[in-house]
Amino acid sequence: MSLKLDVFGQQPLLRIYTQLVFCYADPKHTDPNLVVSRLAKGISKLRNIVPWIGGTIFDENGVVRLTEDGNGNILTVKDLRKHAYYPNFAELRREDFPFKWLNEKHICPRMTIPGTQNEVNKNAECPFLIQLTVINGGILLSFLGEHALMDMGGQFGLMEALSKLCKGEKLTDYDQSRIKLNNACVPIYDDGYILPQEDKIIRRKINETVNDCACEWKYLRFSRNSLLQLKQACSKELKDGFVSTDDCLSALIWRSILKARLKRQAEKQVVYFYRAIDTRRYLGYHSNQMGVFVNMALTRSSIGDVLSTRLGAIAALLRTKVDRDSVVTNSKIIATKIHRAKDKNNISVTQDLDSSLDIQISSWSKFKCFDLDFGIGLGKPIAVRRPEFIPLEGLIYFMPKTLNGSIIAGLCLRKDDYDEIMLDDDFMKYCNVIC
């Protein structure tokens, strides 16, 4: 028996893994076998409730489907304590858990994009995977969710349920309802409905100077006080209306990146800002309901217009793109296009993306990952990060907000852009670079 994935899950570009690693200090050097036993018991209980976590994802006549069996090895264990190249937990903590020590090759059982980084086992697609990596003085617990099956909202719901089960707690009916699969998440229009015509916008690169295109991942830390100051600064520039911390942080980062890119791009250049939006609350679903509910809110502008606009006004502009009616209508249109398309490679929520010009931001700041301890006896995680994977220019993640209110932003940009950003005092006064 197999289940057809929801319409958003039929996008070929979503056949990737979303990774998140929880970093736990273990100063008493707990026996890893005890941790493995606790996790294994929790996984077994979770599998009894949602058997599909032990299934496989496959294609059948162009349709993406999921079985409830085929993956008996959800948990992988790796011991790096005797590997001289890998630092101990104290060193990781001292350096604030940078990307360079959290590469997916070392701490994840599968690569983000199957087949990259010389991955061999690239064809078996499992819905949910975990790797326990033991290092000196700590434990790294990595969770991978198949993106065609779940976005971070669904993945967090699954991790939260597993944490409860590992601690011996029972899941409530509400808990169980959130992690059950729903193969009709985003509604579509009837077959007879005529979709609105799209505005055909042809973008040309204006006088672009091409230098070194090599990109790299870096983390930036925005403290609670810095975020408060940023939001206050943006709010003072507005006569009325609401802007969130995420609006303000997104505006700050976008403006600084575009300022850095002026070295190779013209002010008249049209650029796009893609922002991942969780549509659950707009569509009447529980928070963290299992499934793929993320769509992209698009903001178009020229570089010059962004740089000449006050930061608060940029944040307010981004806020206008996430009103309920626009999000619901756009999501239904995209879902209908995917449903009707014979070749689904031609449909994407980032259809016109040019990574050399545009920015994509996914914010996970609202997910309370620091409350999850999985019953392994090590308390709450010291850090939660997205492991490093192959560079994808213009891609940005906001990590789950820390217990002290900081947000760690992971950016992938050209080295030349970083050089310019580090000289931007209006930006750097809000953050510290994690190297």
Side-chain angles (χ1 to χ4, degrees):
M1 179 180 176
S2 65
L3 174 72
K4 177 183 176 182
L5 298 193
D6 179 51
V7 61
F8 268 25
Q10 300 297 323
Q11 298 175 81
L13 287 176
L14 292 191
R15 301 291 284 277
I16 62 176
Y17 284 102
T18 303
Q19 305 165 334
L20 201 61
V21 59
F22 292 66
C23 307
Y24 296 92
D26 182 20
K28 296 182 179 179
H29 305 287
T30 304
D31 183 353
N33 291 321
L34 296 177
V35 179
V36 170
S37 176
R38 181 61 61 90
L39 290 172
K41 289 178 181 177
I43 292 169
S44 178
K45 293 176 183 178
L46 184 63
R47 193 168 180 175
N48 287 334
I49 298 169
V50 280
W52 56 263
I53 67 168
T56 55
I57 294 170
F58 67 100
D59 291 288
E60 184 178 79
N61 299 321
V63 176
V64 185
R65 306 185 71 88
L66 169 69
T67 66
E68 290 191 348
D69 54 32
N71 172 30
N73 189 27
I74 294 173
L75 177 63
T76 299
V77 180
K78 190 172 185 179
D79 192 339
L80 295 180
R81 287 176 293 182
K82 295 182 179 180
H83 288 256
Y85 70 86
Y86 205 84
N88 60 40
F89 194 86
E91 292 175 279
L92 280 179
R93 191 171 189 173
R94 186 165 53 249
E95 295 187 28
D96 206 1
F97 304 91
F99 270 116
K100 65 182 180 182
W101 295 124
L102 299 174
N103 192 285
E104 61 181 358
K105 292 187 295 184
H106 304 306
I107 63 172
C108 295
R110 293 296 311 273
M111 303 303 100
T112 293
I113 302 174
T116 58
Q117 305 223 58
N118 300 315
E119 184 177 28
V120 176
N121 185 28
K122 62 183 180 180
N123 295 320
E125 292 187 63
C126 308
F128 187 58
L129 295 168
I130 303 170
Q131 179 167 314
L132 169 66
T133 305
V134 184
I135 65 174
N136 288 304
I139 280 176
L140 309 178
L141 199 55
S142 301
F143 295 89
L144 286 69
E146 165 69 56
H147 201 359
L149 186 62
M150 65 187 90
D151 53 30
M152 183 50 71
Q155 186 167 333
F156 176 76
L158 205 56
M159 294 186 298
E160 187 177 44
L162 177 60
S163 184
K164 290 182 177 182
L165 293 172
C166 287
K167 293 188 290 185
E169 299 177 16
K170 290 186 177 181
L171 299 187
T172 65
D173 291 342
Y174 172 69
D175 292 332
Q176 294 191 39
S177 69
R178 287 193 308 166
I179 59 177
K180 293 292 177 66
L181 281 179
N182 183 343
N183 64 346
C185 299
V186 181
I188 61 175
Y189 288 107
D190 295 335
D191 290 341
Y193 181 82
I194 300 176
L195 296 176
Q197 292 291 322
E198 292 184 27
D199 295 331
K200 295 295 182 181
I201 298 177
I202 300 176
R203 286 194 294 170
R204 294 182 176 87
K205 292 186 178 180
I206 305 172
N207 302 326
E208 182 181 34
T209 302
V210 179
N211 297 315
D212 184 3
C213 296
C215 297
E216 62 180 351
W217 287 99
K218 285 184 183 293
Y219 275 124
L220 304 178
R221 175 180 286 274
F222 296 84
S223 70
R224 178 178 180 275
N225 286 339
S226 291
L227 293 170
L228 288 173
Q229 292 171 13
L230 174 62
K231 187 173 180 181
Q232 288 172 358
C234 289
S235 298
K236 284 181 180 179
E237 295 174 357
L238 301 175
K239 293 182 179 179
D240 52 34
F242 167 80
V243 288
S244 69
T245 300
D246 268 21
D247 294 332
C248 299
L249 185 55
S250 297
L252 177 72
I253 291 174
W254 190 27
R255 188 179 69 173
S256 186
I257 291 173
L258 293 184
K259 185 177 178 181
R261 288 177 174 177
L262 268 181
K263 287 192 68 174
R264 66 174 186 274
Q265 294 171 348
E267 288 191 7
K268 293 181 180 180
Q269 179 66 60
V270 175
V271 293
Y272 294 168
F273 183 92
Y274 291 93
R275 188 181 185 190
I277 302 298
D278 184 349
T279 66
R280 287 173 177 81
R281 63 191 178 101
Y282 301 111
L283 298 175
Y285 286 92
H286 298 306
S287 62
N288 307 324
Q289 175 69 48
M290 180 54 59
V292 183
F293 290 88
V294 166
N295 192 12
M296 287 292 192
L298 172 62
T299 303
R300 297 186 180 95
S301 184
S302 70
I303 293 177
D305 283 347
V306 173
L307 297 183
S308 64
T309 301
R310 296 175 72 88
L311 194 60
I314 300 172
L317 174 62
L318 298 180
R319 170 56 41 178
T320 65
K321 303 299 181 179
V322 298
D323 69 282
R324 182 187 183 280
D325 291 343
S326 296
V327 170
V328 171
T329 299
N330 180 255
S331 297
K332 289 179 68 175
I333 289 173
I334 292 292
T336 304
K337 287 181 178 179
I338 297 170
H339 173 70
R340 294 179 182 177
K342 293 182 179 179
D343 183 357
K344 303 192 189 303
N345 286 289
N346 295 326
I347 307 296
S348 168
V349 295
T350 55
Q351 189 76 39
D352 300 317
L353 174 72
D354 184 330
S355 61
S356 69
L357 301 174
D358 305 329
I359 296 297
Q360 301 177 75
I361 284 187
S362 290
S363 176
W364 301 337
S365 63
K366 69 178 181 179
F367 299 114
K368 298 184 183 302
C369 291
F370 286 86
D371 290 342
L372 306 184
D373 60 26
F374 300 97
I376 57 178
L378 301 179
K380 295 180 179 181
I382 303 300
V384 178
R385 299 283 193 270
R386 208 257 187 249
E388 182 182 35
F389 61 110
I390 63 169
L392 295 175
E393 184 177 8
L395 186 56
I396 298 170
Y397 294 98
F398 294 168
M399 295 299 103
K401 189 173 288 187
T402 68
L403 292 175
N404 65 11
S406 298
I407 292 179
I408 313 298
L411 289 70
C412 187
L413 299 171
R414 298 184 191 186
K415 295 178 181 179
D416 289 347
D417 291 342
Y418 283 123
D419 291 341
E420 292 298 315
I421 289 172
M422 301 307 160
L423 299 175
D424 183 356
D425 292 337
D426 291 333
F427 179 80
M428 292 304 298
K429 67 182 179 182
Y430 290 110
C431 68
N432 293 313
V433 181
I434 299 174
C435 295

